[in-house]
Amino acid sequence: MRLNKCKFCGQFYRSAVQGVVCPRCVPLDDILFSRIENYLQKYPNSNALQISEGLEIPIMEVIRYIDEGRLAVSKGSFSKIE
């Protein structure tokens, strides 16, 4: 078992795998991911920095979802968001 610290509440919890969110805060993490999904539906060619700035969240949150495989990286073009 690993000892992990939740990024939302700061509580320590034990898990079989390395994690960043405790079981009680999973709904908060799901809400954040839903916000990112909605943003990408509105601005489909956004990069991680644009998502971070548009939603006012740390860029590392976006990168974490990419690392977890919840967001995919694709090649494409983008235009300036007004």
Side-chain angles (χ1 to χ4, degrees):
M1 296 294 277
R2 292 178 175 257
L3 184 63
N4 302 302
K5 184 176 180 181
C6 179
K7 69 174 185 151
F8 287 109
C9 68
Q11 295 293 316
F12 289 97
Y13 66 99
R14 293 199 177 275
S15 174
V17 295
Q18 181 70 33
V20 293
V21 180
C22 73
R24 289 182 297 175
C25 292
V26 167
L28 294 174
D29 194 49
D30 291 340
I31 290 169
L32 179 59
F33 185 73
S34 294
R35 288 181 60 211
I36 292 172
E37 282 184 315
N38 291 337
Y39 185 88
L40 287 171
Q41 286 176 356
K42 189 172 181 179
Y43 306 106
N45 293 320
S46 299
N47 62 35
L49 183 59
Q50 290 169 325
I51 295 168
S52 171
E53 290 176 352
L55 295 177
E56 298 178 352
I57 60 173
I59 192 167
M60 292 309 295
E61 292 300 315
V62 180
I63 293 171
R64 180 176 62 88
Y65 290 125
I66 294 169
D67 290 343
E68 290 176 353
R70 293 174 75 180
L71 289 177
V73 178
S74 64
K75 299 251 182 214
S77 61
F78 65 92
S79 58
K80 183 176 179 182
I81 298 174
E82 299 292 327

